Amino acid sequence: MKVTGLTPIPNVLRPQGNFVVPPALAAEIDEVITHYPVKRSASLMLLHAMQEHFGWISQEAVEWIARKLELPPINIYELLTFYPMFRLQPAGKYQIKVCRTLSCALAGSQKLHEHFCTRLGLDPHQHEIQTTPDGRFSVEFVECLAGCGGAPVVMCNDEFHENVNPAKADAMMTKRE
Amino acid sequence: MPQEFKLILKHADEPGYTPDIECYLRHGGYDALKKALALRSLDLPDGRKKSPQEQLRDDVKQAGLRGRGGAGFSCGLKWSFVDRKSGKPIYLICNADESEPGTFKDRQIIHKDPHQLIEGMIISCFANDVQLAYIYIRGEMPQGAKLLNRALQEARAKGFLGKNILGSGYNLEIHVHRGAGAYICGEETGLIESLEGKRAYPRIKPPYFPAVLGLYMCPTIVNNVETLCHVKHIVAMGAAEYAKLGTPNNTGTRIVSLSGHVQRPGYYEIEVGKVTLGELINDPNFGGGLREGRKLKAIIPGGSSSKVLKAGEKFKLKRKVDGKDVEQEVDLLDLPYDFDSLLQAGTMSGSSAIIVMDDSTDIVEVLANISKFYAHESCGQCTPCREGSLWMSKALHRLTHGQGRAEDADYLVKIANNIPGGRTICAFGEACSWPVQSFVAKFKDEFVAKGAADEEGRAKGKVEPKAAPAERKESATVA
């Protein structure tokens, strides 16, 4: 029997033309692998290292990590579709994460998210990540950032900001424009 | 007047206190570790010898330490379950995946006093013959991970970590492992899977009790950050002295994360059970009361998965008065903030995160916000949880977008009742159901009224009957 009408599942991974792992990153990765008695354990840490270096995770990065850890690429790919922090395409230079969860919501995080989006010309109703056309800023709603006493909280790249009001938000953006 | 009691956070907020090892050593840092490593075997009356490790484990049991992560399970008992005869290595993992909404206490320890955690970990590892341990820190705390890595390096340089620690012959290595944004990694078996480099799918118990079949199928201990810090203080003070803190069966101190509609949100360390819920919210030493002109509506007492408590509720608590068991009626605000009283009130102190809501709060919006979180975070392994959490979130999305029905309240409870109770691998099933069950039970009129108003609006033709707006357009406006 001939099966018809099946379309292949699209590959969500994107190619990265100039993918080269510099020696410093390779050395960092080799060191991290020694932390574990089983190589596969290092996969999340390697993905973090790649994302910190390149800003996102490409098809080549997935294959490189899989080879490094002697795993089939699916074992790396399945992590990317499970853990929300990994990006499958480049995001903005400054990535703004606004906490959406209860304590921040009670302190006005919905309006804060709208404020960021409006000021940057992004859709205030879209919760998922959006990036400005110039690639400078990304804004997204994320779940609880464990800073509820200083709600609403925002992360800008690795920096953690508490009690963010519109004025503070404006200052954050102005500083980086 | 109720006061804070700072044990874990004794120095953290002092002016000039820094997270480096020199500062920690100036404040008596690593003295408890030296004390633990200097213990000698005791000769028991029956001729048997009690090793230093056994003495330390007994101390933790006698101190009555209960886990600060959420379940409040006895730490000593947890350690006693560890299979020490398998011949396999024993691992210890510090659960620093702090992600229960409302909770931000471990962040304070990691950022302000990382060496306290490391000292507590080294002692706990020594007590359990662990030679390799990990700190699993959530991905959203990159600064915390850096601080911990620096602190571990400092500890290594001073001989507190590595081979032959302080000349004792004991070897231990600790590494930091970062998560990547999944709430389910806080569940201990999910955390173990994640540390093995896989999706954080919780494992079924039995047979996968971490104490027997944990990391790499070896015996494994998973303890919360704050719990491990307490081990240091048990060794420093002695178990008997430590057990005098707090109240019987609820010993020691706890860091309470207070957020929501109070004047002074923040973290407050208290002796367990020595301060009431009302004092935590209203006392000037703590929350300082509600916002001007507002009245209390509801309290989430132990992280967003704990069952909500309604202002004015009364509970029957079993208490010991002059050695006799008596039943007393206690108002919500007079509940002592401890493990057992909140269990008796039908909820839990969980991760000791209190979220306060005043009378300006739209309860339906609050539950919609919580349910969206759980729908987002369900790992997807078990059908009742994966589908149920999403159905509940969708129904609440409808209710908060003018598309509700009066019967949605009952519909929500029907779904919630079919998720937990052994139908799922892990307790996430409970975590996503309890808020729905308790919010609808205690505030049913608000859910019904909202649904009925939507129906009426549609009947009058004010609102065109149409599908609810797309999920991604959901507004989570609360208050």
Side-chain angles (χ1 to χ4, degrees), chain B residues 435-458:
Chain B
V436 173
Q437 289 168 335
S438 59
F439 271 85
V440 178
K442 293 179 185 181
F443 297 94
K444 190 167 180 185
D445 48 341
E446 294 192 32
F447 287 86
V448 174
K450 202 154 199 160
D454 287 354
E455 280 183 358
E456 199 179 330
R458 283 198 297 276

Side-chain angles (χ1 to χ4, degrees), chain A residues 35-36 41 43 45 48 52 78 81 83-85 100 102-103 105-106 110 125 127 143-146 148-149 158, chain B residues 102 104 107 134 138 143 175 177-181 194-195 197-199 216 259 369 372-373 472 474 476 478:
Chain A
H35 295 180
Y36 305 94
S41 278
S43 54
M45 294 297 277
H48 276 302
E52 263 157 39
E78 68 183 350
T81 52
Y83 293 95
M85 274 181 76
R100 185 208 68 88
L102 187 56
S103 299
L106 291 169
Q110 179 76 29
H125 300 294
H127 290 187
E143 297 300 342
C144 188
L145 290 173
C148 323
D158 283 0
Chain B
F104 51 97
R107 176 190 282 278
Y134 295 94
R138 59 180 301 191
Q143 289 170 328
H175 297 293
H177 183 95
R178 292 182 64 203
S194 180
L195 187 45
K198 302 169 194 163
R199 285 182 165 204
Y216 312 125
S259 67
N369 183 290
K372 191 171 179 189
F373 173 83
R472 70 176 191 83
E474 176 172 357
V478 178

